[in-house]
Amino acid sequence: MRFYIETYGCQMNQYDSRVVSSLLEREGWEKVDEWKEADFILVNTCAVRQHAEDRVFSRLGIWGKYKREKKPSLKIGILGCISQKEGENLIHRFPYLDLVAGTFVIPKISQLVKEALEHRVVALEEELLEIPPPEIEEDAVTTFISVMRGCNNFCSYCIVPYVRGRERSRSPESVIEEVKKAVSKGVKEVVLLGQNVNSYRGFSVRDGRCVDFPELLKLVNKVEGLYRIRFATSHPKDLSDELIKAVKELDKVCEHIHLPIQSGSNRILQLMNRKYTREDYLRLVEKIRKEIPEVSITTDIIVGFPGEGEKEFMETVSLVKEVEFDAAYIFKYSPRPFTSAYSLKDDVSKEEKERRLNYLLQLQKSISKKKNDIYVGKEVEVLVEKREREGWFGRTRNHKSVIISSSLPLLGKLVKVRIVRNRKGILEGYFR
Ligand code: SAH
Ligand code: SF4
Ligand code: F3S
């Protein structure tokens, strides 16, 4: 039997999809890259914005039609955050769905898929099952490792705590074991994932105490053969001095912090329940840069949150100018059921959200360009991740993308690269 899996949403979803694939492959399923070749199509979904949901629903439409008209034996399953959010509704809304599985039942996926071959299955139980580590993908140089699940922050716009549940951290031992296994398969870089890694508290099964995130970094830093460690995401409200120190002092931990600001207006930040002010954030950035001069800082921003007027928007604009982020991911506010902001009037028009988004995108583009231009003529250390059409692709320690023209076998190597050009946010260089 063959399955196909398509993934939407964040890095944690990509990790979960690897878990699903590994579990199915262990049961003898074969993974295919073309959905038309599959007996079972799975889609791992994201509910963070309406747009993310719409994309999934249009895919389901295509697969449903194919099943109806061409291949009645085809099975279709929906996993992840939309399943957890919509539950039973999906079964009624999409008569061709065979499986609806939420975010908590991933460890049981092979059983659920098997049952779905016989009859329609809905699995939404919020059990706290241990997630079995996935297999490492072939030729992977860098890999995601989820160190915790869920979120306790309840930012007022965000559905994640409702679809992923409360925070729970893996034990440091199981994280280390997974890192070591990855390294033994050739992986050189791990990206430790959590919605807010700063609140990682892993109960050590060995010595019966709690390990926090900076301590976890120290443990991972000791793994031999590993070159680099990255992590995401850091909530500004609890990024500790210890974490800054860990990034500064641990040789494998890369100098990049993803630090979502969301808005530059204190009034909006408060409505968002972010628990820090613009001033707190600016102080934090200053502190990080003072300790780690070569650090790159990236962020997430939401435009058009309820009540965001021109004044509040311009405060975000001025913050972006002041901080000069290396990169920013900018989103239009999308009301989400269950969240507390859902009861606020979504009073910024679609056109205005669009305008603010484009304004910030343009601004950020010029800042990113300026920040990348600094590297032209310099030599940087790059970890080569994959082969692309134009050359080898890799990243600097502080997460800049680099294309290297070289015909040497560089995959998985740390190389010194002379940067000659900055083209559309990607640095180009050569290796000697
Ligand atoms: N845990 C991470 C990110 C979670 S979701 C954090 O705390 O930063 C990724 C990004 O999606 C968020 O940072 C936010 O900018 C955006 N986002 C979340 N909910 C949203 C919504 N309802 N509308 C628009 N953007 C949203
Ligand atoms: Fe959502 Fe806030 Fe949790 Fe991030 S920290 S996942 S934005 S509730
Ligand atoms: Fe989306 Fe779920 Fe991640 S809502 S952002 S896939 S946790």
Side-chain angles (χ1 to χ4, degrees), residues 48 150-162 167 194-196 233 235 237 260 262 272-274 300 302:
V48 83
C151 183
N152 292 354
N153 287 311
F154 293 94
C155 303
S156 68
Y157 50 80
C158 184
I159 198 168
V160 170
Y162 303 91
E167 282 171 1
Q195 294 294 356
N196 175 19
T233 295
H235 194 304
K237 80 172 159 51
Q262 313 297 1
M272 286 177 161
N273 192 31
R274 288 291 287 183
D300 291 349
I302 298 175

Short mmCIF file of all heavy atoms in Angstrom, two decimals, residues 48 150-162 167 194-196 233 235 237 260 262 272-274 300 302, ligand 2:
data_model
loop_
_atom_site.label_atom_id
_atom_site.label_comp_id
_atom_site.label_asym_id
_atom_site.label_seq_id
_atom_site.Cartn_x
_atom_site.Cartn_y
_atom_site.Cartn_z
N VAL A 48 -3.69 28.33 11.66
CA VAL A 48 -3.26 29.57 12.30
C VAL A 48 -3.89 30.81 11.66
O VAL A 48 -4.13 31.80 12.34
CB VAL A 48 -1.72 29.65 12.38
CG1 VAL A 48 -1.09 30.17 11.09
CG2 VAL A 48 -1.27 30.49 13.56
N GLY A 150 2.74 22.10 22.38
CA GLY A 150 1.73 22.93 23.02
C GLY A 150 2.22 24.31 23.39
O GLY A 150 3.38 24.67 23.16
N CYS A 151 1.32 25.10 23.96
CA CYS A 151 1.65 26.47 24.34
C CYS A 151 0.70 26.93 25.45
O CYS A 151 -0.48 26.60 25.44
CB CYS A 151 1.52 27.40 23.14
SG CYS A 151 2.00 29.08 23.53
N ASN A 152 1.26 27.67 26.39
CA ASN A 152 0.45 28.19 27.51
C ASN A 152 0.22 29.69 27.44
O ASN A 152 -0.28 30.28 28.38
CB ASN A 152 1.16 27.93 28.84
CG ASN A 152 1.22 26.46 29.18
OD1 ASN A 152 0.64 25.63 28.49
ND2 ASN A 152 1.91 26.13 30.26
N ASN A 153 0.64 30.31 26.36
CA ASN A 153 0.67 31.78 26.38
C ASN A 153 -0.64 32.48 26.05
O ASN A 153 -0.85 33.61 26.49
CB ASN A 153 1.78 32.29 25.47
CG ASN A 153 3.14 32.03 26.08
OD1 ASN A 153 3.36 32.34 27.25
ND2 ASN A 153 4.02 31.40 25.33
N PHE A 154 -1.46 31.84 25.28
CA PHE A 154 -2.76 32.43 24.96
C PHE A 154 -2.67 33.87 24.47
O PHE A 154 -3.37 34.75 24.97
CB PHE A 154 -3.73 32.32 26.15
CG PHE A 154 -4.10 30.91 26.46
CD1 PHE A 154 -3.41 30.18 27.42
CD2 PHE A 154 -5.14 30.27 25.77
CE1 PHE A 154 -3.74 28.85 27.69
CE2 PHE A 154 -5.48 28.95 26.04
CZ PHE A 154 -4.77 28.24 27.00
N CYS A 155 -1.80 34.12 23.52
CA CYS A 155 -1.84 35.41 22.83
C CYS A 155 -3.26 35.50 22.26
O CYS A 155 -3.80 34.51 21.77
CB CYS A 155 -0.79 35.44 21.72
SG CYS A 155 0.86 35.12 22.38
N SER A 156 -3.83 36.71 22.32
CA SER A 156 -5.28 36.78 22.14
C SER A 156 -5.74 36.43 20.72
O SER A 156 -6.91 36.15 20.50
CB SER A 156 -5.78 38.17 22.51
OG SER A 156 -5.30 39.11 21.58
N TYR A 157 -4.81 36.45 19.74
CA TYR A 157 -5.18 36.18 18.34
C TYR A 157 -4.94 34.73 17.95
O TYR A 157 -5.28 34.32 16.85
CB TYR A 157 -4.32 37.07 17.42
CG TYR A 157 -2.84 36.98 17.76
CD1 TYR A 157 -2.08 35.92 17.32
CD2 TYR A 157 -2.24 37.92 18.60
CE1 TYR A 157 -0.75 35.80 17.68
CE2 TYR A 157 -0.91 37.81 18.96
CZ TYR A 157 -0.18 36.74 18.49
OH TYR A 157 1.13 36.61 18.87
N CYS A 158 -4.33 33.94 18.84
CA CYS A 158 -3.69 32.70 18.39
C CYS A 158 -4.44 31.43 18.77
O CYS A 158 -4.81 31.22 19.93
CB CYS A 158 -2.26 32.64 18.93
SG CYS A 158 -1.36 31.21 18.33
N ILE A 159 -4.60 30.57 17.80
CA ILE A 159 -5.37 29.33 18.00
C ILE A 159 -4.50 28.18 18.51
O ILE A 159 -5.02 27.17 18.98
CB ILE A 159 -6.09 28.94 16.68
CG1 ILE A 159 -7.22 27.95 16.96
CG2 ILE A 159 -5.10 28.39 15.65
CD1 ILE A 159 -8.15 27.72 15.80
N VAL A 160 -3.18 28.35 18.44
CA VAL A 160 -2.28 27.23 18.75
C VAL A 160 -2.57 26.56 20.11
O VAL A 160 -2.67 25.34 20.19
CB VAL A 160 -0.79 27.65 18.62
CG1 VAL A 160 0.15 26.59 19.16
CG2 VAL A 160 -0.45 27.95 17.16
N PRO A 161 -2.74 27.33 21.20
CA PRO A 161 -3.00 26.66 22.48
C PRO A 161 -4.28 25.81 22.47
O PRO A 161 -4.38 24.84 23.22
CB PRO A 161 -3.16 27.83 23.47
CG PRO A 161 -2.43 28.97 22.84
CD PRO A 161 -2.64 28.80 21.36
N TYR A 162 -5.21 26.16 21.60
CA TYR A 162 -6.47 25.41 21.54
C TYR A 162 -6.37 24.15 20.71
O TYR A 162 -7.14 23.22 20.91
CB TYR A 162 -7.60 26.32 21.00
CG TYR A 162 -7.77 27.56 21.84
CD1 TYR A 162 -7.08 28.73 21.54
CD2 TYR A 162 -8.57 27.54 22.98
CE1 TYR A 162 -7.19 29.87 22.32
CE2 TYR A 162 -8.69 28.67 23.78
CZ TYR A 162 -7.99 29.83 23.44
OH TYR A 162 -8.10 30.94 24.23
N GLU A 167 1.57 23.19 27.31
CA GLU A 167 2.99 22.87 27.13
C GLU A 167 3.36 21.55 27.80
O GLU A 167 2.98 21.32 28.95
CB GLU A 167 3.85 23.96 27.78
CG GLU A 167 3.95 25.20 26.95
CD GLU A 167 4.64 26.35 27.70
OE1 GLU A 167 5.05 26.15 28.86
OE2 GLU A 167 4.72 27.44 27.11
N GLY A 194 9.99 24.45 19.50
CA GLY A 194 8.88 24.55 20.44
C GLY A 194 8.18 25.87 20.15
O GLY A 194 8.79 26.78 19.59
N GLN A 195 6.90 25.99 20.51
CA GLN A 195 6.21 27.27 20.29
C GLN A 195 6.88 28.37 21.11
O GLN A 195 6.86 29.53 20.74
CB GLN A 195 4.72 27.17 20.65
CG GLN A 195 3.92 26.26 19.74
CD GLN A 195 3.82 26.77 18.32
OE1 GLN A 195 4.30 27.85 17.99
NE2 GLN A 195 3.22 25.97 17.45
N ASN A 196 7.42 28.00 22.24
CA ASN A 196 8.16 28.96 23.05
C ASN A 196 9.23 28.19 23.81
O ASN A 196 9.01 27.75 24.94
CB ASN A 196 7.20 29.68 24.02
CG ASN A 196 7.95 30.60 24.96
OD1 ASN A 196 9.09 31.00 24.69
ND2 ASN A 196 7.33 30.94 26.07
N THR A 233 10.80 28.74 18.79
CA THR A 233 10.77 30.19 18.77
C THR A 233 11.00 30.73 20.18
O THR A 233 10.67 30.04 21.15
CB THR A 233 9.38 30.65 18.28
OG1 THR A 233 9.19 30.24 16.93
CG2 THR A 233 9.22 32.14 18.33
N HIS A 235 9.89 33.51 22.90
CA HIS A 235 8.94 34.56 23.26
C HIS A 235 9.71 35.65 24.01
O HIS A 235 10.40 35.36 24.98
CB HIS A 235 7.83 33.99 24.14
CG HIS A 235 6.64 34.89 24.28
ND1 HIS A 235 6.75 36.18 24.74
CD2 HIS A 235 5.33 34.69 24.02
CE1 HIS A 235 5.54 36.74 24.74
NE2 HIS A 235 4.67 35.86 24.32
N LYS A 237 8.95 37.72 26.16
CA LYS A 237 8.66 37.94 27.58
C LYS A 237 9.54 37.08 28.49
O LYS A 237 9.76 37.44 29.64
CB LYS A 237 7.17 37.70 27.89
CG LYS A 237 6.78 36.25 28.06
CD LYS A 237 5.36 36.12 28.55
CE LYS A 237 4.75 34.78 28.26
NZ LYS A 237 5.47 33.58 28.65
N PRO A 260 9.65 37.00 17.82
CA PRO A 260 8.47 37.69 17.27
C PRO A 260 8.02 38.89 18.12
O PRO A 260 7.83 38.76 19.32
CB PRO A 260 7.39 36.60 17.29
CG PRO A 260 8.15 35.32 17.22
CD PRO A 260 9.37 35.58 18.06
N GLN A 262 5.35 41.06 16.90
CA GLN A 262 3.91 41.12 16.57
C GLN A 262 3.40 42.54 16.33
O GLN A 262 2.66 42.79 15.39
CB GLN A 262 3.02 40.42 17.62
CG GLN A 262 3.47 39.03 18.04
CD GLN A 262 3.48 37.99 16.93
OE1 GLN A 262 3.15 38.27 15.78
NE2 GLN A 262 3.91 36.77 17.25
N MET A 272 -3.08 42.16 22.54
CA MET A 272 -2.63 40.85 22.04
C MET A 272 -2.24 39.91 23.18
O MET A 272 -1.91 38.75 22.93
CB MET A 272 -1.42 41.02 21.12
CG MET A 272 -1.74 41.60 19.76
SD MET A 272 -0.18 41.80 18.85
CE MET A 272 -0.79 41.92 17.17
N ASN A 273 -2.20 40.43 24.39
CA ASN A 273 -1.77 39.66 25.56
C ASN A 273 -0.34 39.14 25.42
O ASN A 273 -0.04 37.99 25.74
CB ASN A 273 -2.73 38.48 25.81
CG ASN A 273 -2.50 37.81 27.15
OD1 ASN A 273 -2.10 38.47 28.11
ND2 ASN A 273 -2.74 36.51 27.23
N ARG A 274 0.55 40.00 24.93
CA ARG A 274 1.93 39.55 24.73
C ARG A 274 2.79 39.72 25.98
O ARG A 274 3.91 39.21 26.06
CB ARG A 274 2.56 40.29 23.54
CG ARG A 274 2.01 39.85 22.20
CD ARG A 274 2.42 38.45 21.83
NE ARG A 274 3.82 38.36 21.44
CZ ARG A 274 4.39 37.23 21.01
NH1 ARG A 274 3.70 36.09 20.95
NH2 ARG A 274 5.66 37.21 20.69
N ASP A 300 8.31 38.08 13.72
CA ASP A 300 6.97 37.95 13.12
C ASP A 300 6.18 39.20 13.47
O ASP A 300 6.31 39.72 14.60
CB ASP A 300 6.19 36.76 13.72
CG ASP A 300 6.75 35.41 13.33
OD1 ASP A 300 7.62 35.34 12.44
OD2 ASP A 300 6.31 34.41 13.95
N ILE A 302 2.14 41.02 12.96
CA ILE A 302 0.76 40.94 12.48
C ILE A 302 0.29 42.36 12.18
O ILE A 302 0.42 43.24 13.04
CB ILE A 302 -0.16 40.30 13.55
CG1 ILE A 302 0.28 38.86 13.84
CG2 ILE A 302 -1.62 40.33 13.09
CD1 ILE A 302 -0.50 38.18 14.96
FE1 SF4 B 2 0.48 31.45 19.67
FE2 SF4 B 2 1.44 33.17 21.42
FE3 SF4 B 2 1.70 30.57 21.86
FE4 SF4 B 2 3.09 31.72 19.93
S1 SF4 B 2 3.28 32.14 22.12
S2 SF4 B 2 1.96 29.81 19.78
S3 SF4 B 2 1.71 33.28 19.17
S4 SF4 B 2 -0.22 31.70 21.81
#
